[in-house]
Amino acid sequence: LSVPDDGFHNLNCLTLTEYRVRIALAKQFLLNEYGISVCFDNLKFRTIELNKTIETDYSFPEYRRSLVLMVHLFPGQLRLHEADYFDQSDHPYQATDNKKVIRTFMSTSGKRGLTVKIYDKTEQLKKRNIMVSGNYLRFEITLNDPEKIKKALGGNDVFKLSDTDLQKYFLSFIHENLEAPY
């Protein structure tokens, strides 16, 4: 259901309300195109990604040291394991140009747990030939299992959760796992 928004390929995040509109459009599409009538009344999240796109004053690599520190200092009770994703330089054949640049910082507790990802949204858009003015960072929290979603949000029913529930969890996560430990 992730559809490009005005050509920016998800630069702007969807609210839960907008997501429900996409579900209604998908339901109507299935009926109109294929004659399939679908009941989405009991729709549940198996995984859910909560994210914020943040405009930054400087390019993503300028924040590298701060992001490395932040990822390393996540509280132990999250049981997150770190994984960095590197992009090779444009000319890997010359030793002086063969520098790896971190474009994504990720910590995960596994397939049934939690994943936190911080990446260079501007660079991701450039790879899709989308140019934006400004520098953007994306911060994502993904709950990878229905039980994890229920524990974090009090349920996983698409039509019972609210944008306020999601916002409250996201801000609480930031406060408890980033602000408070520092």
Side-chain angles (χ1 to χ4, degrees):
L1 294 175
S2 180
V3 178
D5 56 339
D6 298 326
F8 289 112
H9 188 74
N10 86 350
L11 174 63
N12 303 301
C13 305
L14 288 179
T15 64
L16 187 54
T17 303
E18 291 167 327
Y19 185 71
R20 287 186 189 123
V21 169
R22 294 262 171 103
I23 292 169
L25 292 171
K27 180 178 180 177
Q28 193 61 45
F29 175 82
L30 289 171
L31 183 61
N32 293 346
E33 288 293 315
Y34 301 106
I36 299 171
S37 179
V38 182
C39 177
F40 286 141
D41 293 346
N42 195 26
L43 200 58
K44 308 277 189 214
F45 286 110
R46 284 190 350 197
T47 65
I48 189 168
E49 176 189 299
L50 308 173
N51 59 57
K52 296 274 186 190
T53 303
I54 303 161
E55 188 168 11
T56 58
D57 292 331
Y58 307 102
S59 66
F60 189 83
E62 305 262 348
Y63 296 98
R64 182 189 165 285
R65 292 180 64 187
S66 300
L67 294 172
V68 167
L69 178 63
M70 187 171 70
V71 170
H72 283 292
L73 293 178
F74 274 127
Q77 71 264 22
L78 291 179
R79 295 188 176 115
L80 298 175
H81 305 285
E82 296 168 34
D84 298 329
Y85 292 90
F86 296 93
D87 283 346
Q88 292 277 338
S89 68
D90 292 335
H91 305 286
Y93 302 113
Q94 297 181 17
T96 56
D97 292 335
N98 195 16
K99 296 177 183 170
K100 292 182 178 181
V101 179
I102 298 174
R103 295 285 182 202
T104 301
F105 296 92
M106 186 178 91
S107 292
T108 184
S109 63
K111 293 179 185 177
R112 298 185 63 117
L114 171 79
T115 302
V116 178
K117 193 185 301 182
I118 306 162
Y119 63 92
D120 186 345
K121 188 65 176 174
T122 305
E123 190 65 28
Q124 181 200 41
L125 293 172
K126 281 182 190 175
K127 287 181 180 179
R128 298 185 187 319
N129 294 320
I130 299 168
M131 303 308 284
V132 292
S133 59
N135 298 297
Y136 295 93
L137 171 147
R138 176 66 63 90
F139 190 102
E140 297 178 356
I141 303 167
T142 304
L143 302 169
N144 297 312
D145 182 74
E147 292 306 314
K148 191 76 170 172
I149 297 168
K150 288 176 188 175
K151 185 177 177 184
L153 301 172
N156 68 334
D157 189 305
V158 171
F159 296 104
K160 290 183 182 170
L161 290 172
S162 70
D163 287 318
T164 304
D165 296 330
L166 302 182
Q167 181 78 358
K168 184 177 173 184
Y169 172 76
F170 191 92
L171 293 175
S172 172
F173 182 91
I174 297 297
H175 177 74
E176 291 173 16
N177 299 295
L178 296 173
E179 294 173 348
Y182 296 126

